Amino acid sequence: KFCCPAFLSGLFCFVATMSPIMPLAVLAGVRVNAEQEARLLMHWGKFTGVRRKPGLFWVNPCAASITRVSLKERTMDLRDFKCLDLKGN
Protein backbone atom coordinates (compact mmCIF):
# COMPACT_ATOMS: atom_id res chain seq x y z
CA LYS A 1 0.00 0.00 0.00
CA PHE A 2 0.98 3.60 -0.56
CA CYS A 3 1.65 5.76 2.45
CA CYS A 4 -0.58 8.53 1.07
CA PRO A 5 -4.34 8.79 0.58
CA ALA A 6 -5.98 7.23 -2.47
CA PHE A 7 -6.64 10.53 -4.26
CA LEU A 8 -2.92 11.36 -4.23
CA SER A 9 -2.06 8.03 -5.84
CA GLY A 10 -4.62 8.79 -8.56
CA LEU A 11 -3.08 12.24 -8.98
CA PHE A 12 0.37 10.64 -9.23
CA CYS A 13 -0.86 8.29 -11.97
CA PHE A 14 -2.37 11.22 -13.86
CA VAL A 15 0.84 13.26 -13.65
CA ALA A 16 2.97 10.25 -14.62
CA THR A 17 0.91 9.67 -17.77
CA MET A 18 0.74 13.35 -18.73
CA SER A 19 4.44 14.14 -18.23
CA PRO A 20 5.52 13.00 -21.73
CA ILE A 21 2.66 14.93 -23.32
CA MET A 22 3.00 18.25 -21.47
CA PRO A 23 6.28 19.43 -23.07
CA LEU A 24 4.80 18.82 -26.51
CA ALA A 25 1.70 20.81 -25.60
CA VAL A 26 3.82 23.69 -24.32
CA LEU A 27 5.96 23.69 -27.47
CA ALA A 28 2.83 23.64 -29.65
CA GLY A 29 1.95 27.12 -28.38
CA VAL A 30 5.28 28.75 -29.30
CA ARG A 31 4.93 31.07 -32.29
CA VAL A 32 7.50 33.11 -34.24
CA ASN A 33 6.69 36.61 -35.41
CA ALA A 34 8.99 37.81 -38.21
CA GLU A 35 9.83 41.40 -39.04
CA GLN A 36 7.33 43.31 -41.17
CA GLU A 37 4.41 41.17 -40.05
CA ALA A 38 1.81 41.18 -37.32
CA ARG A 39 -0.33 38.48 -35.74
CA LEU A 40 -3.99 38.89 -34.87
CA LEU A 41 -4.81 36.92 -31.71
CA MET A 42 -8.23 35.49 -30.99
CA HIS A 43 -9.02 33.49 -27.86
CA TRP A 44 -12.21 31.44 -27.83
CA GLY A 45 -13.52 33.45 -30.80
CA LYS A 46 -12.96 36.90 -29.29
CA PHE A 47 -10.37 39.37 -30.56
CA THR A 48 -7.75 39.87 -27.84
CA GLY A 49 -4.99 41.85 -29.50
CA VAL A 50 -2.28 42.32 -32.08
CA ARG A 51 1.32 41.18 -31.74
CA ARG A 52 3.59 43.45 -33.82
CA LYS A 53 7.04 42.97 -32.31
CA PRO A 54 9.31 40.37 -33.95
CA GLY A 55 10.39 37.39 -31.88
CA LEU A 56 9.03 34.38 -30.03
CA PHE A 57 5.80 34.40 -28.06
CA TRP A 58 3.55 31.78 -26.51
CA VAL A 59 -0.21 31.35 -26.80
CA ASN A 60 -2.59 28.73 -25.48
CA PRO A 61 -2.71 26.23 -28.38
CA CYS A 62 -6.18 24.96 -27.48
CA ALA A 63 -7.93 28.31 -27.21
CA ALA A 64 -6.15 30.56 -29.69
CA SER A 65 -6.43 31.15 -33.39
CA ILE A 66 -3.77 33.29 -35.00
CA THR A 67 -3.86 35.11 -38.33
CA ARG A 68 -0.72 36.44 -40.03
CA VAL A 69 -0.87 39.90 -41.58
CA SER A 70 1.94 41.38 -43.69
CA LEU A 71 2.98 44.96 -42.89
CA LYS A 72 5.18 45.38 -45.96
CA GLU A 73 4.50 48.33 -48.22
CA ARG A 74 3.15 47.41 -51.61
CA THR A 75 3.72 49.41 -54.76
CA MET A 76 1.45 49.59 -57.75
CA ASP A 77 2.34 50.65 -61.26
CA LEU A 78 -0.17 53.22 -62.46
CA ARG A 79 -0.58 54.05 -66.08
CA ASP A 80 -1.04 57.64 -67.18
CA PHE A 81 -2.38 59.26 -64.06
CA LYS A 82 -3.51 62.86 -64.22
CA CYS A 83 -4.37 64.99 -61.25
CA LEU A 84 -6.10 68.32 -61.66
CA ASP A 85 -5.65 71.15 -59.20
CA LEU A 86 -7.71 74.29 -58.76
CA LYS A 87 -5.88 76.05 -61.60
CA GLY A 88 -6.56 73.24 -64.07
CA ASN A 89 -2.95 72.07 -64.38
Side-chain angles (χ1 to χ4, degrees):
K1 284 193 165 190
F2 289 111
C3 61
C4 56
F7 74 91
L8 287 179
S9 63
L11 179 65
F12 175 75
C13 291
F14 176 75
V15 170
T17 57
M18 292 300 291
S19 63
I21 298 170
M22 291 305 283
L24 297 175
V26 170
L27 288 176
V30 175
R31 303 284 188 236
V32 178
N33 204 16
E35 290 188 28
Q36 298 294 328
E37 74 178 26
R39 302 284 177 149
L40 302 176
L41 302 173
M42 296 185 68
H43 291 276
W44 302 109
K46 293 183 180 179
F47 176 75
T48 56
V50 177
R51 178 74 181 199
R52 289 189 180 101
K53 294 181 181 178
L56 291 173
F57 65 99
W58 187 85
V59 294
N60 183 354
C62 299
S65 63
I66 300 174
T67 305
R68 186 180 76 83
V69 178
S70 176
L71 299 177
K72 293 180 181 177
E73 293 182 8
R74 297 180 188 157
T75 59
M76 296 175 59
D77 291 330
L78 299 176
R79 294 186 183 189
D80 297 329
F81 181 73
K82 295 182 181 180
C83 181
L84 298 176
D85 60 2
L86 291 175
K87 295 180 181 179
N89 294 330

